[in-house]
Structure formats: structure tokens, C-alpha cells
Amino acid sequence: MEVTGTWYLVLAAMVFTIGGVGLLVRRNPIVMFMCVELMLNAVNLSFVTFARMLGDVDGQTVVFFVLVVAAAEVVVGLAIIVAIMRRRPHATADDLALLKG
């Protein structure tokens, strides 16, 4: 059985759906953050699949930039979320709205 690009696109859609549902259902900020990362990786998988199917390098270039932005997001966002969770262990996403000032 040959694994074609369609299989990768279906996998990317499933991973994106899992991330989207997790983002909408869960209230824990760390879990929500990981769901966003899951969605970004699903989009990266679809970009790489389309780049391979079309024989173009542009999709892989976009993935490189998405990975850089995701790494910066993890550094800043995860540090903020972990700091909040240390001070308030049972904080939810609704509590983060208090950060507006």
C-alpha cells in the first residue's frame, strides 16, 4: 500500500480538528496552548504535503517561518502561562482575562 499525499492531508485535517476541538473545549491555559501548537503542526504538515505534491519549495519555506514563529511563541507564551499557573494553580482561561488591567 502506497502512502500518497491524500493520506497526509487527511492526517493533517484530523490533527487540526483535534487541536481545534481541544482549544474550544478545554479551559486550562497550558492545554489550550498545546492545542494551538497541534493546529500549527497540522498546517505545517499540509504545507509540506502540498509542496511535495506540487514539486515546489515555497511550502517548505513557509513551514520554516511558521516553525520560527512557533518557537518564539513557545518561549514567551509558555513562560507567561507557567508563571501564572505557579501563582494560581487552578487558573482557567477566563482568569487570564484579568490580565487586561
Side-chain angles (χ1 to χ4, degrees):
M1 183 171 131
E2 181 182 348
V3 179
T4 62
T6 306
W7 288 93
Y8 290 110
L9 291 176
V10 169
L11 176 65
M14 290 172 50
V15 170
F16 189 86
T17 302
I18 291 170
V21 169
L23 183 66
L24 293 174
V25 171
R26 301 298 300 259
R27 302 303 326 160
N28 186 342
I30 293 177
V31 174
M32 292 174 71
F33 191 74
M34 292 301 128
C35 289
V36 169
E37 294 297 323
L38 202 60
M39 293 168 68
L40 283 174
N41 285 327
V43 170
N44 285 340
L45 181 61
S46 64
F47 273 131
V48 169
T49 302
F50 280 123
R52 183 182 164 115
M53 289 171 68
L54 299 174
D56 195 6
V57 186
D58 291 341
Q60 295 174 5
T61 306
V62 170
V63 168
F64 177 73
F65 286 115
V66 169
L67 287 176
V68 169
V69 171
E73 173 200 348
V74 166
V75 168
V76 175
L78 194 58
I80 291 172
I81 291 173
V82 168
I84 290 171
M85 294 301 283
R86 282 186 179 175
R87 295 193 111 213
R88 302 178 74 187
H90 301 290
T92 64
D94 297 329
D95 296 334
L96 296 180
L98 298 175
L99 292 175
K100 288 181 182 175

